[in-house]
Amino acid sequence: MDKTPFLTKEQAEKITKEFPTPFHIYDEKGIRENARLVKKAFAWNKGFREYFAVKATPNPFILKILQEEDCGVDCSSLTELQLAEACGFSGSDIMFSSNVTPAEDYKFAYKLGAYINLDDITHIEYLEKLTGIPETICCRFNAGGNFTISTFVMDKPQDAKYGFTRKQMFEGFRMLMEKGAKHFGIHAFLASNTVTNDYYPTLAKQMFQLAADLRKETGADITFINLSGGVGVAYKPDQTPNDILAIGEGVRRVYEDILVPAGLGDVAIFTEMGRFMLAPYGALITRVLHKKHIYKEYVGCDACAANLMRPAMYGAYHHITVLGKEDQPCTYMCDVTGGLCENNDKFAIDRMLPPTDIGDLIYIHDTGAHGFSMGYNYNGKLRSAELLLCEDDSVKMIRRAETAADYFATFDFCGIMDKYLK
């Protein structure tokens, strides 16, 4: 797969004259085209809706773009619910999927009329005492064991903290019906960042059979099945990207095989594809500050793990392009690092790049989801700006960079940082 930046060196250099590096930038054209492709892939299902996972990219400008493309939002906290409300989402536009959920979060979700997705059977009585049980309610399913496709173990639901067991799903549906629930959804998340067209159809087969069994044994009116996320992106150049049209067709075949004969041919399919929707359409732009020659070669950038945590946190691969040197041979092995006081503050280890110089602009691919949103302030590092490359090739700031005043603002009650808060 060709990992081609959506920015040229000339574009990036022009942008840096107004917005200093590092910054995250998103491609509006790519986001819109991808959202339309997802909708096309599931157009066979009249109730289909993509609920974008706000946790992936919690920026109101991004959420408004997706809203214009008829997406809903998936929220997991009070703050995300507040962001969704501020962007004009309400009622069935919102899925609320949370775990270890505080009372205030449930209350606000109920107030908004969101679809509430219960993560645990004990939350049935908890929610009933807080707000009462809404007429439409969803339960999250954990199948246990290992999740496999053919003989390959993709993930281990048995080790995940999420969801009801199969037995609890039946018990929970009966409890909810006794407490006034009239319509039901089923939700599951079994694997993360899969790069295979078989994942969703395999998950769908399991979910659709569960729905048919629940309908048969409890008589519950199941109105939607949420396949959640897990459809990933090709972070590495040698990976074959998912084909969302093939994935949608695979789910359709399983739907026709299982749900239609069970009398569930009107069930809506929901998805929550934060990574697939956004990751390829965001990049972290950073400039080379230093080069170090000791036991290894190091390229030091003005971005760090505080701007993109995934490589430091669990060794995630992000492809790197040295802008303007795309056609040069990759003959230079180096670690690409930031300036944190942590040795895992590395965007790449033993990565082959073109000969790289101080001042070069580095384009780190696929940061549009779980990039900026996982940022933090260790070492007093400040979160970067977020920019949008608009469809007309103009660039606008959609979140300003933090300043020292932002960092010190929570100290303002004591007065000792006043000179930095002006």
Side-chain angles (χ1 to χ4, degrees):
M1 177 184 144
D2 184 23
K3 301 291 282 188
T4 303
F6 58 77
L7 279 182
T8 65
K9 178 185 178 182
E10 291 71 26
Q11 284 177 298
E13 289 287 9
K14 182 178 179 181
I15 293 167
T16 61
K17 288 180 169 56
E18 184 175 359
F19 304 106
T21 55
F23 54 78
H24 285 268
I25 187 165
Y26 307 97
D27 176 18
E28 180 183 5
K29 183 174 183 288
I31 293 168
R32 290 188 183 276
E33 289 177 350
N34 192 49
R36 292 166 191 170
L37 192 63
V38 168
K39 192 172 180 180
K40 179 181 178 181
F42 291 91
W44 54 266
N45 181 261
K46 65 180 181 180
F48 173 75
R49 194 91 186 272
E50 158 62 22
Y51 286 82
F52 174 71
V54 174
K55 68 179 77 67
T57 319
N59 187 293
F61 289 85
I62 299 297
L63 297 186
K64 292 297 287 185
I65 289 171
L66 293 170
Q67 185 181 49
E68 290 169 6
E69 299 299 335
D70 197 33
C71 296
V73 286
D74 169 65
C75 300
S76 58
S77 69
L78 176 61
T79 309
E80 288 182 358
L81 287 167
Q82 291 169 334
L83 176 57
E85 182 192 35
C87 291
F89 295 95
S90 64
S92 61
D93 295 333
I94 304 171
M95 280 288 303
F96 178 62
S97 299
S98 176
N99 67 95
V100 194
T101 308
E104 292 306 310
D105 297 36
Y106 270 140
K107 288 179 181 177
F108 197 68
Y110 184 88
K111 175 186 171 184
L112 293 179
Y115 287 132
I116 293 176
N117 183 26
L118 297 174
D119 183 65
D120 183 65
I121 195 167
T122 66
H123 289 210
I124 295 173
E125 291 187 353
Y126 184 63
L127 181 65
E128 182 184 32
K129 291 175 182 176
L130 289 173
T131 64
I133 300 297
E135 285 194 356
T136 300
I137 191 76
C138 185
C139 295
R140 191 175 199 181
F141 174 54
N142 184 327
N146 294 328
F147 183 76
T148 62
I149 292 182
S150 299
T151 59
F152 177 59
V153 176
M154 302 195 72
D155 224 324
K156 297 182 178 180
Q158 65 191 9
D159 295 334
K161 65 178 180 176
Y162 309 111
F164 292 52
T165 66
R166 180 180 171 88
K167 180 180 177 181
Q168 288 174 339
M169 289 292 288
F170 290 87
E171 182 183 351
F173 267 45
R174 291 188 178 102
M175 289 173 61
L176 287 161
M177 291 171 73
E178 290 173 2
K179 296 177 184 298
K182 292 184 170 58
H183 311 291
F184 289 84
I186 304 172
H187 177 284
F189 178 83
L190 296 185
S192 179
N193 193 41
T194 65
V195 189
T196 166
N197 295 336
D198 294 332
Y199 169 63
Y200 251 10
T202 302
L203 170 62
K205 183 176 181 180
Q206 187 176 94
M207 295 292 288
F208 294 171
Q209 189 58 59
L210 174 63
D213 294 345
L214 283 164
R215 170 70 175 272
K216 181 178 178 180
E217 294 192 27
T218 69
D221 177 31
I222 299 170
T223 59
F224 67 84
I225 296 173
N226 190 329
L227 298 177
S228 189
V231 177
V233 299
Y235 285 101
K236 297 181 179 180
D238 60 355
Q239 291 178 303
T240 300
N242 282 323
D243 181 345
I244 196 65
L245 296 178
I247 290 170
E249 175 60 18
V251 174
R252 185 197 65 77
R253 288 195 295 266
V254 179
Y255 189 100
E256 295 289 338
D257 288 345
I258 298 175
L259 289 184
V260 172
L264 292 167
D266 58 350
V267 170
I269 300 302
F270 295 167
T271 58
E272 292 171 5
M273 297 187 289
R275 192 190 309 268
F276 184 83
M277 297 296 289
L278 254 294
Y281 311 107
L284 175 60
I285 309 299
T286 178
R287 197 178 288 279
V288 177
L289 293 182
H290 300 283
K291 293 180 68 179
K292 185 170 185 175
H293 320 283
I294 47 172
Y295 307 104
K296 300 180 72 172
E297 291 291 305
Y298 294 93
V299 170
C301 301
D302 58 7
C304 63
N307 305 109
L308 179 65
M309 184 195 291
R310 298 183 71 252
M313 186 178 185
Y314 37 72
Y317 181 96
H318 281 266
H319 198 62
I320 292 174
T321 295
V322 183
L323 290 176
K325 297 182 177 181
E326 291 88 343
D327 297 328
Q328 293 186 22
C330 294
T331 57
Y332 177 54
M333 180 184 286
C334 61
D335 288 8
V336 182
T337 80
L340 290 184
C341 299
E342 290 288 342
N343 196 45
N344 68 348
D345 179 24
K346 297 175 181 178
F347 297 117
I349 297 173
D350 294 336
R351 185 70 60 87
M352 298 302 297
L353 296 177
T356 304
D357 301 307
I358 292 172
D360 279 348
L361 283 175
I362 299 288
Y363 180 108
I364 303 180
H365 293 251
D366 302 317
T367 71
H370 310 289
F372 179 94
S373 66
M374 295 174 70
Y376 55 101
N377 288 121
Y378 181 58
N379 277 176
K381 295 293 186 180
L382 303 174
R383 288 181 177 85
S384 62
E386 289 182 291
L387 310 178
L388 183 67
L389 176 64
C390 301
E391 289 186 291
D392 63 2
D393 285 337
S394 65
V395 174
K396 67 179 178 183
M397 181 170 63
I398 59 174
R399 190 194 304 263
R400 66 167 174 80
E402 286 184 338
T403 66
D406 296 314
Y407 182 77
F408 297 133
T410 50
F411 303 139
D412 62 3
F413 64 91
C414 58
I416 63 172
M417 306 305 296
D418 282 354
K419 68 178 181 178
Y420 295 104
L421 298 175
K422 297 176 182 176

